[in-house]
Amino acid sequence: RAHSIDSFYIIRGVSRVALKGHEAPVVGVGFLRPGREEIVSGEEILYSCAHDSTLRSWDPLTMQCSNVHKEASGSEMSAFGLIKRYRIALTGNDDGALRVWNLESGQHTISKGHTNTISAITTGWTGRTPDDPYGRHIVFTCSFDGEVLSWEVAVQGRRTEAGDENVKILPVGRTRAHKAEILCCAYVGPGINADRYPHGLLATAGNDLVIKMWHVSERLELELAGNLERTASDGFTVLPTGHDDAISSMAVDANFLFTASDDCSINIWDIPGSFLVRTLTEADGGHLEPIKRLLMIEKEGFLVSLSVDMYIKIWDYTRGAVLWETQAEDEVTCMVHDEAKHALVCGTEDCTVVSVDIPDIPSLVARRQELRMQEECIRQGEAAAIPSPKRPQPRRLTGHDQAVYLVGSTKWGGGQHFLCTE
């Protein structure tokens, strides 16, 4: 059944298509624009990588596997990243080395650095605008060895085509970041505070439960900016850990950092203020089992979460409400938003790439507005049910024979007394 396509339907006609071809769990999925040798259909090409050490591309029209790039060394792929501007794929492997893939030729280079499995890859642009001439493309790799390596994308000579050999990934820094395995990282651009952090920030976390924020220096090395801490339920005790269990995934939206954990919760952090804004839990309709991945639908700022309970949830995180959810057939491991098809493309433990239709953006926006109106109605109903405080009725005191023109009060002898003057 290799390279077969299964299509079936779940609740209320939500379709799901499973792409089969990998022979091991999928670890990463993402989209890039078509290359010189690929079908030009106006749609981006889907790429996926898996523990079977293959990087595959999928035809956007037939949704069949159109190309397979094989890792020759036999080392398992463990992390995935893309540099869209240069149409380059990055894979981290369990041998601690970073692979840089030229998707036109299928060739890759190997850059050694870590001493253990690479667990996460994130890319960033240090420019204040997409066309900032002073901006630089950077790559960060995190590993079970507790280190973060910084890499810079260098273009050698004049470059006319995407994905050619003139693009190099050069190591520029090494940081001993955590005492335990790092599981996730996220880059925050300089827009958060361009004066203080002109090259942005990097957030890292993992099995030591600590969330660290790193200032990216001019040389693209990391300098500790601080840790994100939360307050215990007593309202006074400061906890140095970001969660109660391993922190598995991160996402960024404007000034907010989202962290997901094996404690089944999602924390929302204000980055400029370095404080916890809200925690999304089971009580909010959240997950019952460890959360594995987070994703932002950037146009409208919807948060997507997936976990080992096989549920995918779309959140209005500002109100802590789930807008939509579905249950997957198998444990999902990674995901990306397909904007053109209103779908989430997910890799799974059963070696498939699954495309799950989701509501389009207008439908999600309408649902968000509906929830806000319901909240407003509830608030108004509660306000109407609360009786207005009764205003004390004045007591008429008589005794003066002429008009009273000054009234005051004082206390003595344990009671209240009024002083009146004619």
Side-chain angles (χ1 to χ4, degrees), residues 255-277:
N255 291 346
F256 297 108
L257 173 71
F258 304 85
T259 57
S261 170
D262 286 357
D263 65 10
C264 309
S265 71
I266 300 170
N267 280 347
I268 306 173
W269 306 85
D270 179 89
I271 301 173
S274 300
F275 62 86
L276 179 62
V277 178

Side-chain angles (χ1 to χ4, degrees), residues 105-410:
S105 65
Q107 301 299 311
H108 66 275
T109 60
I110 300 176
S111 299
K112 296 183 179 180
H114 291 285
T115 59
N116 205 334
T117 300
I118 294 178
S119 54
I121 299 173
T122 190
T123 62
W125 169 249
T126 65
R128 300 191 183 189
T129 65
D131 299 321
D132 188 342
Y134 299 102
R136 299 151 76 183
H137 281 283
I138 51 179
V139 177
F140 297 99
T141 57
C142 301
S143 170
F144 291 164
D145 61 13
E147 293 188 334
V148 179
L149 297 188
S150 308
W151 312 76
E152 183 174 9
V153 181
V155 180
Q156 301 175 348
R158 185 172 180 179
R159 184 175 166 278
T160 58
E161 297 292 344
D164 63 26
E165 291 79 2
N166 291 336
V167 180
K168 306 295 182 183
I169 309 295
L170 306 177
V172 293
R174 178 188 298 270
T175 304
R176 179 65 181 176
H178 291 260
K179 295 180 180 179
E181 296 90 343
I182 304 175
L183 302 179
C184 57
C185 59
Y187 177 72
V188 183
I192 196 74
N193 190 332
D195 294 330
R196 188 174 182 184
Y197 305 116
H199 301 287
L201 292 164
L202 181 73
T204 60
N207 280 336
D208 62 5
L209 317 187
V210 177
I211 303 171
K212 295 188 177 185
M213 302 299 297
W214 302 89
H215 167 223
V216 181
S217 72
E218 172 69 25
R219 295 186 297 174
L220 303 184
E221 296 177 341
L222 299 182
E223 301 170 359
L224 185 62
N227 297 349
L228 295 182
E229 300 174 333
R230 58 198 170 116
T231 304
S233 57
D234 60 13
F236 298 98
T237 306
V238 176
L239 302 176
T241 56
H243 285 269
D244 295 327
D245 207 334
I247 301 168
S248 55
S249 184
M250 290 180 171
V252 174
D253 184 34
N255 291 346
F256 297 108
L257 173 71
F258 304 85
T259 57
S261 170
D262 286 357
D263 65 10
C264 309
S265 71
I266 300 170
N267 280 347
I268 306 173
W269 306 85
D270 179 89
I271 301 173
S274 300
F275 62 86
L276 179 62
V277 178
R278 180 196 290 267
T279 298
L280 305 177
T281 65
E282 179 185 351
D284 303 301
H287 295 281
L288 303 178
E289 296 186 30
I291 302 169
K292 294 302 181 185
R293 289 291 183 271
L294 295 177
L295 172 71
M296 288 303 307
I297 299 179
E298 296 181 356
K299 272 195 171 181
E300 293 294 336
F302 295 117
L303 177 68
V304 184
S305 61
L306 64 83
S307 78
V308 298
D309 63 6
M310 298 184 291
Y311 273 95
I312 301 171
K313 298 175 183 283
I314 300 179
W315 296 83
D316 174 8
Y317 69 82
T318 61
R319 278 163 173 69
V322 176
L323 302 177
W324 181 86
E325 65 180 17
T326 189
Q327 190 171 21
E329 289 297 305
D330 201 350
E331 183 180 344
V332 290
T333 56
C334 54
M335 62 183 172
V336 66
H337 180 226
D338 185 350
E339 182 179 344
K341 297 180 179 179
H342 307 301
L344 292 175
V345 179
C346 306
T348 69
E349 286 283 351
D350 70 353
C351 317
T352 60
V353 177
V354 180
S355 178
V356 180
D357 286 352
I358 63 173
D360 57 19
I361 296 299
S363 298
L364 292 173
V365 172
R367 175 58 178 159
R368 180 168 61 185
Q369 289 299 113
E370 179 185 342
L371 291 176
R372 290 179 180 178
M373 292 178 63
Q374 290 176 0
E375 288 182 3
E376 185 63 28
C377 290
I378 291 173
R379 281 197 297 267
Q380 291 178 357
E382 290 176 348
I386 299 174
S388 301
K390 293 183 178 180
R391 306 180 72 176
Q393 298 298 316
R395 293 176 58 192
R396 183 178 296 275
L397 306 178
T398 60
H400 289 287
D401 296 328
Q402 297 182 14
V404 177
Y405 63 88
L406 177 64
V407 179
S409 67
T410 185

Side-chain angles (χ1 to χ4, degrees), residues 74-93:
S75 174
E76 285 189 357
M77 295 177 180
S78 54
F80 183 60
L82 297 171
I83 304 176
K84 292 197 171 185
R85 182 171 183 174
Y86 299 130
R87 212 174 162 273
I88 288 175
L90 307 169
T91 59
N93 287 45

